[in-house]
Amino acid sequence: REFLVESDPEVILIAEAGGDGSRVDDELLAVYRRDPVWSAFSAVRHGRVYRLDSARLSVPGPGIADVLQQVAAAMRDAENRF
C-alpha cells in the first residue's frame, strides 16, 4: 500500500467484469476521490482511471489481445488528459 502511495500512479487500470477500456463513470470516480488513500493518486485526481475486462485478462488465449487493445485505448485517452 505504501509503495502505491509513494509511486503516485498517473493512470490506474482496474480489472472488472465487463470492463471495456473506458474511463470509470463519474459516480465511481467520486467514491475514489472521497477515499483518503485513492484520492492521493494523480490518476484519481485527474480522472485517469480505466476499466479492463477481467474475464479476458485472466484467461490465456486470444482475448488477451482484446485487453491489450483496451490498454492502448486507455493510454491514448489518458495522454489527452495531461
Side-chain angles (χ1 to χ4, degrees):
R1 179 174 162 169
E2 290 80 17
F3 172 77
L4 277 177
V5 173
E6 290 174 13
S7 68
D8 188 22
E10 294 181 1
V11 176
I12 296 175
L13 305 173
I14 298 174
E16 68 176 23
D20 61 0
S22 64
R23 278 188 336 118
V24 297
D25 57 49
D26 290 338
E27 185 178 331
L28 182 56
L29 195 55
V31 170
Y32 291 148
R33 286 179 172 157
R34 286 191 300 268
D35 183 276
V37 175
W38 280 91
S39 64
F41 299 138
S42 294
V44 172
R45 289 193 310 272
H46 299 291
R48 296 186 298 255
V49 182
Y50 300 87
R51 296 179 157 128
L52 302 179
D53 188 343
S54 62
R56 291 176 184 247
L57 186 62
S58 62
V59 177
I64 294 291
D66 294 334
V67 174
L68 290 175
Q69 288 178 339
Q70 291 177 1
V71 170
M75 294 298 106
R76 282 191 300 274
D77 184 76
E79 183 177 39
N80 293 328
R81 296 180 182 281
F82 280 94

